[in-house]
Amino acid sequence: MNSKSEIDEASRGSEASSSNTSSTPSNSKNQPPVGLCAGSGSNNPHIMKRAAARQLIERYFYQLLDGCGNPNCDNKYCASSGEARNLTPNEAAAEAIKLFYKEARLCDTLPNKVPRTEASNCDASASATFTNSNIKGKSSVESKQLDSASCSVSLADNKKDKPETSHNLSHEEKENAIYDNGSMLTEERVYELCDECLQTKNPEPLIRALGEAFTQPTILSKCFQRKIVDRDNHNKGEKKLDKESNAMCSSNDPDKDVDSVMGPGLDVASCQRALQYLTKVPSEYYSSAFVIALTTLAENIEIDLRITKSLSMDDIVHCFVIAFEVPDLGCSDYLEIALPAMCHAAQHLSVKAQAKLARLWGQHCKESLRHILETIQQLITLRVISTNYSRTFQVQDDDSVTMATKLMKIVYYANMLAGVMEPSSLREEPVVLASQLDPLGDALDHLYPLSQIKTFKEAQQEDPLAIELDINVLDVRKPYLPFEEFYNEPLSDTIEMDIDLANCKTEVANGRKFSFLKYPFVLTAATKSLGLYYENRIRMFSERRVSLLHAVVGAAPSMPFLRLKVRRSHLIDDALVELEMIAMERALDLKKQLVVEFEGEQGVDEGGVSKEFFQLVVEQIFNADFGMFTHRPDSQTVWFNPTSFETEAQFTLIGIVLGLAIYNNIILAVNFPMVVYRKLMGRKGSFEDLADWNMTLYNGLKDMLNYTGSDLDEVYYQTFRICYTDVFGSNIFHDLKENGDNIFVTQENKQEFVELYADFLLNKSVETQFKAFRRGFAMVTDESQLGTLFRPEEVEMLVCGSKKFDFIELEKSTEYDGGYTPESQIIKDFWSIVHSLSLENKRKLLQFTTGSDRVPVGGLSHLKLVVARNGPDCDRLPAAHTCFNVLLLPEYDSKEKLQDRLMKAINYSKGFGLL
C-alpha cells in the first residue's frame, strides 16, 4: 500500500474492534468521517482515540522521512540525527507503526509536513480519551497500544509550552494522569461502588468498574496507587498519607522501605482494605464477572510475557499481587477456570519477577499468605480427587496441578521470607570427599555406561529462584506458616513415585518432564522417603552390575553386596573394623546393598537381620560407658563427648553407620537433638538450638537477654569465662574471648556473650568429632537427594521414625493370610489384647514382628503387617518373619491362651532361631 494510506489504515485498524462496539450509530450526522479528529463537542471516545493514534503515527512517519530540522538532534529515530537509515515511504510507514507501538522517542520540534490542523483540533477532545474509554472486547496488546497513545495526547494538552508531545512530561506527571483516570480503581472508589450497589441493589456499575480494571494489565497495574501528597495542601481537600505508609516510606531500613520492594506505585494495604470491603456485597452479584475478568487478565498477562513484552516487570508483579488479594469468590468456576489461568500465566514469569513477587508477598502481604496457599491447595486437591489418573495420564501430565505447584513455590519462598530468618554466615562448610570413581576408569565405559545416579548428581543444580533470593531453608528458624501446611496429602498419595523419579532424571537431562521431586515442599515426608528408597535401590542395583562386570573381565572377584560378618559378643569391634577397611580400600562399596551375618546363626538377611544389627550397634555405641557420647538427662538426648579418647576414625565410622541406616531404609533408636540434623544438612548451631539441647541453660540465657536493668553485671555476675563438665564430672574452664575472666557481661555485650556461648557449646567444642561424623555420613549419602528433598525435621523422622504410635491405624492397614480375616474371632481377640498393651509392650510387639520398635515415616498406616494362620491350636509360641513383617499366629482356642503365648514371644525374642 502507499505510505499515507498505510498510516490511515493502521490508525483505523488499531481501533477496529472498538469502532464496531461503539454505541454511536454509523449514520449519525454528528459523527465525523473516519480518519479525522472529532471536534471538542464530540462524545465518541473511539473516534477520539483513533485520531490520537493517527496523529502520533504520522509524526513518527514524517520524523523518519524528513527529520525535525535540528542539526544537533541525537534521536536515533529522527532523520535529522543522521543515525536513522534512509527509508522509502512504505518502509517509513511500517516503521512508524512499530515506533508507535513501543512508544519510541519523539523530537520536540515538529516535522514540517505534520498537519497542524489535526494537532490543534484534537486538543480539547483527546484529553477526555482515557476517562471515557471502554476497554471491553479489546485484547491486552491493543489496549496497551491505544491507551499509551491517547494518554500521551491527553498529557500533552496540559503542557502549554509544548502542546504536541507527551515525551517531555516527567514520569510523575504521567503517573498522576493515569492515576486520575476513571478506569483506575482506588480504595475510595471501591467504597463508593460497593455502597451504591448495596443501596440500589444494582451491581452493574460495580461489575463494569471491576471488569474494566481486572481485564487489562495496563490498567490493573496502576490501580491502588500510593498517593504521596504535600502536607501543606491537606486543608484543600487532599488526603493525608496514612501513618503506616508514611513511616515505611521514610524508614532507613531497606527491608521496611516500600519503595525498595514495590516501587513508587502499589499501595498493598489500600488494596487489601478495598477488596476486603468488597466482601460486604453479596458474592453472587459479582463472582461470575470476576471469574471472566481474571481469566481474561491471565490470558493478557501471558500474551504480554510470551509475545509483546510491553509491560514492565513491576506492572506484571503488581497485577499478580492485586489478583491474589481478591476475596474468596465462593464459586467453583474460580477454582476450575480463573485460578488455573492465573497459574498458567505465572509460569512465564522470569526468575527476577518471581523473586520480586516472593519478596513483596513475604514482606508486605503476610496476612494474605494463608489465603493464597489455601486457594492453591484447593485447586490441586480438587483436580486430584476429581481426575482418574492412569499410567498413561499421570498427575505430572495435568497442567492445572503442575502450574499450581510452580506458583506454590513462590508462596513457599515468600513464607520463609515472612518468617524468622538467620544469617547465611551460619552455614557449615561443605564436606569435600576424595574422588570415588571406579578404579577401572574408562576400561568399562564400552561395556557399561557410568551410573545414571552420578550423572543426575552432577547435573543437579540449586533452584534458580533460591539463588536469586539468596535463601536456604536451613536459614529459616521459624516460617510464617508451618512447613507442614504446604503438604498436599491427596497429591502425595496419588503420585507414582517410580515414574516421578524417572521424570526427575529426565528433567535434569532435557527439561521436558515435570517431577514433583523438584518441588519437595508439597510432598509428605512418607512420599519423599519412598522416592529416596527407589533412588537408593537403583544405586544398589547399579553397583551390583558393575561388580559383576568386574568379575567378567577378571578385574576383581564378584562382590555384589556389602557383607558384614560379626559376632554378637564383639559386635562393635567387628563391625567398625570391617567398615573401616571398606572405607579405606573402596568407599564405593558402601553404596551396595547391606547384608549382615551373625556368626554361628542360621539366618539369611532379607532385611530383618540388618534391622537387628543396627539396633544392637546403636544400643552399644551410644551407651555412656563407651565414652563417645554423653547423655542429657533433662532432654533425654545424646551429644558428642568433647573430651572423648576415641579417634576421628571412630566418629567417621559412626557417621557411616547412620548413613547406611538411611541408605538401607532402616529406622534407628537414636536420640539426637535437632541441632545435629541441622548441622548434618549444613547449618551451624546457634542460640535458639540450645532450647532442645539444654533447656535449663537456654532459659537462663533467655532471662539474661530479657533483663533490662542497668545492674546486669551485678545481678548475674557473669564473665566471658564459662565452665562445663566433662564425662568424668571434672570442671573445665574456657574463655570465650581473650582474657575473658576479666570481662563482665553487661547490657552492651550480653548478646555477644550469648552467641559466643552457644557457638562454643554447639560448634567449636565438638568441631573435631562432628566433622569426622559428618564426613562418614556423607560418604554414604553424598550422591542421594537427601539434602534437596528433606528438611532437618524430616531427616530426623527418616532416622528415628515417627513418634506417633497409633495402633488403630496399624489395625486398618494390616492384611491377613492362611484363612484369617478381620472377622475371625482370634483376630478380634488379638487386636483387643494389642490395644490394651502399655507403650513399652507395644514397642516390643513391633520389635518382634518387624525387627524394629520404631514407627516408620508417615505413621503405622505405612507399615504393612501381615497376620498369617500357623496351624490349629497348640502350645507353640507365635513366630515372625521380620524381613517381611509377617506374624505367624496359631489359632489358639481362647483369648487367655493367646495373650499368654503372645507376651512370652515378645519378651524372649532376641536372636535368630527356629521355634
Side-chain angles (χ1 to χ4, degrees), residues 417-435:
L417 292 172
V420 180
M421 300 285 293
E422 291 184 332
S424 59
S425 59
L426 290 176
R427 296 177 192 172
E428 294 272 10
E429 293 293 327
V431 178
V432 179
L433 298 176
S435 176

Side-chain angles (χ1 to χ4, degrees), residues 94-312:
E95 187 68 16
I97 296 172
K98 294 179 182 179
L99 296 180
F100 162 71
Y101 286 167
K102 66 180 183 180
E103 301 178 337
R105 175 185 170 186
L106 276 170
C107 295
D108 295 345
T109 306
L110 286 172
N112 295 329
K113 297 185 180 181
V114 173
R116 304 295 175 132
T117 54
E118 288 188 8
S120 59
N121 290 337
C122 286
D123 286 348
S125 60
S127 62
T129 301
F130 253 14
T131 305
N132 298 303
S133 64
N134 187 340
I135 65 170
K136 293 182 179 179
K138 301 183 182 69
S139 68
S140 62
V141 180
E142 179 185 349
S143 297
K144 161 69 179 162
Q145 295 157 353
L146 295 178
D147 290 352
S148 299
S150 55
C151 178
S152 299
V153 177
S154 64
L155 289 171
D157 293 336
N158 295 326
K159 296 286 288 184
K160 300 302 182 181
D161 54 337
K162 297 177 182 176
E164 296 169 296
T165 178
S166 67
H167 294 268
N168 295 303
L169 294 177
S170 68
H171 177 77
E172 182 178 355
E173 289 174 311
K174 291 182 180 180
E175 293 290 338
N176 290 336
I178 294 174
Y179 186 84
D180 292 337
N181 184 272
S183 298
M184 305 302 169
L185 291 178
T186 64
E187 184 178 353
E188 294 78 9
R189 189 174 180 223
V190 172
Y191 291 164
E192 293 171 0
L193 290 168
C194 290
D195 292 340
E196 180 184 354
C197 179
L198 291 172
Q199 292 173 5
T200 64
K201 305 299 181 183
N202 178 20
E204 185 175 346
L206 175 63
I207 292 175
R208 184 185 301 112
L210 295 176
E212 289 178 350
F214 276 87
T215 52
Q216 297 299 330
T218 50
I219 296 179
L220 185 62
S221 63
K222 299 298 184 291
C223 292
F224 305 110
Q225 285 188 324
R226 191 172 59 259
K227 292 179 287 185
I228 309 298
V229 299
D230 185 357
R231 292 184 178 274
D232 295 336
N233 296 326
H234 69 277
N235 293 324
K236 298 179 181 179
E238 295 186 35
K239 292 184 176 293
K240 289 186 178 181
L241 190 67
D242 65 270
K243 293 182 179 179
E244 180 181 357
S245 298
N246 183 54
M248 295 176 72
C249 288
S250 61
S251 172
N252 293 323
D253 186 352
D255 291 336
K256 297 181 180 179
D257 185 2
V258 178
D259 292 345
S260 67
V261 178
M262 292 181 292
L266 182 60
D267 185 344
V268 176
S270 175
C271 172
Q272 291 172 337
R273 290 192 298 267
L275 294 180
Q276 186 60 36
Y277 196 83
L278 185 64
T279 59
K280 295 179 178 292
V281 179
S283 61
E284 58 267 19
Y285 281 4
Y286 59 83
S287 60
S288 297
F290 231 141
V291 168
I292 297 173
L294 290 174
T295 305
T296 305
L297 174 70
E299 293 171 352
N300 290 338
I301 289 177
E302 184 172 351
I303 290 173
D304 190 89
L305 289 172
R306 295 178 58 188
I307 302 172
T308 60
K309 303 184 185 302
S310 59
L311 292 172
S312 68

Side-chain angles (χ1 to χ4, degrees), residues 41 222 328 417 493 579 681 726 788 792 800:
K222 299 298 184 291
D328 186 8
L417 292 172
D493 295 339
L579 288 175
M681 294 295 99
D726 65 9
T788 57
C800 304

Side-chain angles (χ1 to χ4, degrees), residues 261 354-364 417 468-469:
V261 178
Q354 293 179 40
K356 186 177 182 66
L357 179 58
R359 291 192 185 100
L360 207 160
W361 270 342
Q363 297 180 16
H364 301 282
L417 292 172
E468 179 67 27
L469 291 169

Side-chain angles (χ1 to χ4, degrees), residues 497-511:
M497 191 47 66
D498 56 340
I499 293 179
D500 198 76
L501 180 62
N503 287 354
C504 189
K505 296 179 181 181
T506 305
E507 186 184 25
V508 170
N510 53 36

Side-chain angles (χ1 to χ4, degrees), residues 7 53 59 155 174 236 285 445 490 514 561 582 607 691 765 790 792:
I7 295 175
R59 290 193 58 197
L155 289 171
K174 291 182 180 180
K236 298 179 181 179
Y285 281 4
D445 283 355
F514 182 90
F561 301 100
I582 293 170
S765 65
F790 297 92

